[in-house]
């Protein structure tokens, strides 16, 4: 890799924070102290600060008054509202998609599916997370409405603190890979009803893992 190809230091720190969230090393409401992050990631203060600012913009990090930066933690009502909104957006995107898509778009979607499956096989957590995001961006981008597609992308990031724990769960990953394949086939067949069902059902496992991990009573409202 040449110097020109090397990732920006801020992106490196963001990826490191994402990986530590996925691994459970950084938990919701755990304070993100700049000095500790600088030491952990070998980064300069301005780089760590810029990374936290970007994650705050995406909704992953929050800064409650008098508490400093921390990873967002959802209560049951917030999680339900977030997933209800994501379901609305996903259904709207599927309804707007011209199906079947072009051969080029379908090929790109299949390549993204294969890339995610490969990352899962290799166990590279940040690659699993990022390739999953890419697959969803291409899938919902088929709606050809840039504002709707961007809203879905932003809600994907906003939900990252809840979705993260599914990335390291082998059963959840197997289900996700299977469902990605089913989504591609539904797009290929122009089966809008099946794709709409999958677009909502696909979110269930990561949500269940988060609920089990953080809500004492388990079931959603």
């Amino acid at each position: 890799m040449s110097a020109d190809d090397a990732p920006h230091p801020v992106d490196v720190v963001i990826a490191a924070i994402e990986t530590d969230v996925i691994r459970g090393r950084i938990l919701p409401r755990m304070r993100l102290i700049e000095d500790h992050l600088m030491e952990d990631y070998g980064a300069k203060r301005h780089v760590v600060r810029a990374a936290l600012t970007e994650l705050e913009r995406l909704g992953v990090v929050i800064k409650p008054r008098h508490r400093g930066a921390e990873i967002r933690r959802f209560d049951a009502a917030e999680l339900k509202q977030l997933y209800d909104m994501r379901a609305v957006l996903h259904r709207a995107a599927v309804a707007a998609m011209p199906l079947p898509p072009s051969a080029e778009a379908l090929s790109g979607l299949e390549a993204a599916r294969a890339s995610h499956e490969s990352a899962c096989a290799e166990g590279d957590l940040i690659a699993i997370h990022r390739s999953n995001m890419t697959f969803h961006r291409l899938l919902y981008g088929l709606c050809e409405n840039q504002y709707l597609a961007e809203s879905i992308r932003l809600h994907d990031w906003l939900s990252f603190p809840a979705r993260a724990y599914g990335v390291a769960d082998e059963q959840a990953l197997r289900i996700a890979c299977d469902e990605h394949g089913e989504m591609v086939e539904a797009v290929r067949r122009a089966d809008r009803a099946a794709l709409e069902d999958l677009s909502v059902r696909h979110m269930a496992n990561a949500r269940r893992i988060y609920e089990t991990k953080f809500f004492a009573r388990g079931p959603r409202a």
Side-chain angles (χ1 to χ4, degrees):
M1 178 183 290
S2 69
D4 290 340
D5 295 330
H8 192 281
V10 174
D11 294 330
V12 172
V13 171
I14 289 174
I17 293 172
E18 289 174 299
T19 302
D20 280 348
V21 172
I22 291 167
R23 291 188 181 278
R25 294 172 179 163
I26 297 177
L27 296 173
R29 293 184 183 165
M30 182 182 291
R31 285 194 62 198
L32 299 172
I33 300 171
E34 289 181 7
D35 288 344
H36 294 174
L37 298 178
M38 290 166 60
E39 181 178 354
D40 289 346
Y41 305 140
K44 295 182 179 179
R45 186 176 302 278
H46 75 276
V47 172
V48 167
R49 191 166 291 170
L52 292 177
T53 297
E54 176 61 10
L55 289 172
E56 183 182 14
R57 184 187 70 82
L58 294 169
V60 175
V61 165
I62 59 174
K63 292 182 179 179
R65 190 175 181 183
H66 305 311
R67 287 171 57 182
E70 60 187 46
I71 297 296
R72 180 186 296 273
R73 177 167 177 172
F74 301 99
D75 63 28
E78 291 170 337
L79 192 70
K80 182 179 186 304
Q81 290 172 9
L82 174 60
Y83 274 79
D84 284 351
M85 185 62 190
R86 293 184 72 205
V88 168
L89 292 170
H90 289 186
R91 287 190 175 106
V94 172
M97 289 177 188
L99 295 177
S102 68
E104 181 181 5
L106 186 59
S107 176
L109 185 64
E110 170 57 28
R113 184 210 62 77
S115 178
H116 175 258
E117 186 173 62
S118 177
C120 291
E122 294 171 4
D124 184 334
L125 295 181
I126 196 65
I128 293 169
H129 165 53
R130 293 293 176 83
S131 60
N132 181 63
M133 294 278 283
T134 297
F135 176 82
H136 290 166
R137 177 177 58 79
L138 291 177
L139 174 64
Y140 295 114
L142 295 175
C143 73
E144 298 184 354
N145 181 322
Q146 62 178 321
Y147 302 105
L148 178 53
E150 179 65 7
S151 293
I152 291 173
R153 189 187 74 83
L154 291 175
H155 279 78
D156 277 353
W157 271 111
L158 183 59
S159 64
F160 170 70
R163 295 187 297 104
Y165 303 98
V167 175
D169 185 284
E170 290 185 7
Q171 182 181 11
L173 286 180
R174 284 195 297 271
I175 293 171
C177 287
D178 288 345
E179 290 178 345
H180 283 178
E182 292 174 31
M183 288 173 170
V184 173
E185 285 306 308
V187 169
R188 193 190 311 275
R189 298 192 313 267
D191 189 341
R192 201 178 303 275
L195 184 58
E196 179 180 336
D197 175 68
L198 282 162
S199 75
V200 177
R201 177 158 49 90
H202 187 61
M203 298 185 284
N205 274 304
R207 177 178 176 177
R208 174 186 53 77
I209 292 168
Y210 187 85
E211 289 173 333
T212 300
K213 190 175 183 68
F214 292 107
F215 301 157
R217 296 179 182 177
R220 65 193 67 173

